[in-house]
Structure formats: C-alpha cells, structure tokens
C-alpha cells in the first residue's frame, strides 16, 4: 500500500493518491472523515496489474482518520502517517496528516 501527497500551490488542497495491492479483490474503496465513511464516490480503480488506485483532492492543513474497505472488510494502510484509536469503531484507524 502507498499514499502519495501532492500539494497544489494554486489551491488549498492536496492531491492524495491511494494505492492498494489487492489482486484477488473485486472492490476497494477508501473511507474516512473526509467522506463521512461512505464508500460511494470513493471507489478505487482496479489496474491491469491487480492494484487498486485512486486520487482525491482533500483540504490541506487537516488530519483525517481513514481505512480501506476491501470486499467488505476494513483494513489499515501501513504507509499511514500514524494510527489512532477510535472508540466508536473499537479499533485503530489509519491517520492521514496534510
């Protein structure tokens, strides 16, 4: 898994590219604070090599909790900036700091 951040000089946003190697998966979405944990509109595209990838414009100078939803199962990204316990979910979420 990988997270690439590209800060834009012209706008107060950061282009964040999420990459998830999941050859056996049918669907992968990134869900988090930035989309109310809703996979609709945050599906990653499956590439020919079996990797899922997607780029999203997120407001910078913010911190977001997020996870990947891979065929209905939540997983964290080991490339996250850090992890944070979430009482509501009863687990640790990955954290993205922009």
């Amino acid at each position: 898994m990988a997270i690439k951040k590209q800060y834009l000089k012209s706008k107060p946003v950061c282009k964040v590219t999420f990459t998830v190697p999941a050859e056996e998966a049918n669907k992968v979405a990134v869900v988090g604070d930035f989309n109310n944990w809703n996979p609709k509109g945050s599906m990653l595209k499956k590439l020919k090599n079996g990797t899922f990838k997607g780029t999203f414009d997120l407001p910078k100078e913010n911190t977001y909790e997020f996870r990947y939803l891979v065929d209905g199962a939540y997983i964290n990204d080991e490339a996250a900036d850090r992890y944070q316990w979430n009482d509501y979910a009863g687990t640790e979420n990955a954290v993205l700091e922009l």
Side-chain angles (χ1 to χ4, degrees):
M1 288 179 245
I3 300 170
K4 180 183 171 193
K5 301 173 190 175
Q6 179 184 1
Y7 292 92
L8 301 182
K9 293 180 181 177
S10 59
K11 297 180 184 175
V13 299
C14 179
K15 285 190 172 293
V16 181
T17 301
F18 298 95
T19 306
V20 181
E23 291 181 35
E24 304 300 317
N26 293 314
K27 292 185 201 173
V28 177
V30 60
V31 294
D33 294 340
F34 48 84
N35 63 5
N36 293 318
W37 299 89
N38 186 347
K40 189 175 182 180
S42 63
M43 300 300 292
L44 303 183
K45 184 178 179 184
K46 189 169 189 175
L47 306 178
K48 289 180 182 178
N49 65 3
T51 299
F52 287 80
K53 194 171 192 178
T55 301
F56 303 91
D57 290 350
L58 301 178
K60 63 183 184 180
E61 297 180 9
N62 285 299
T63 300
Y64 302 100
E65 289 186 34
F66 77 98
R67 299 187 91 187
Y68 295 115
L69 187 58
V70 180
D71 288 343
Y74 288 99
I75 60 169
N76 276 330
D77 191 327
E78 66 265 4
D81 295 320
R82 62 182 172 87
Y83 299 94
Q84 182 169 309
W85 180 260
N86 183 296
D87 285 333
Y88 180 77
T91 188
E92 277 190 333
N93 289 333
V95 176
L96 180 65
E97 296 178 339
L98 302 179

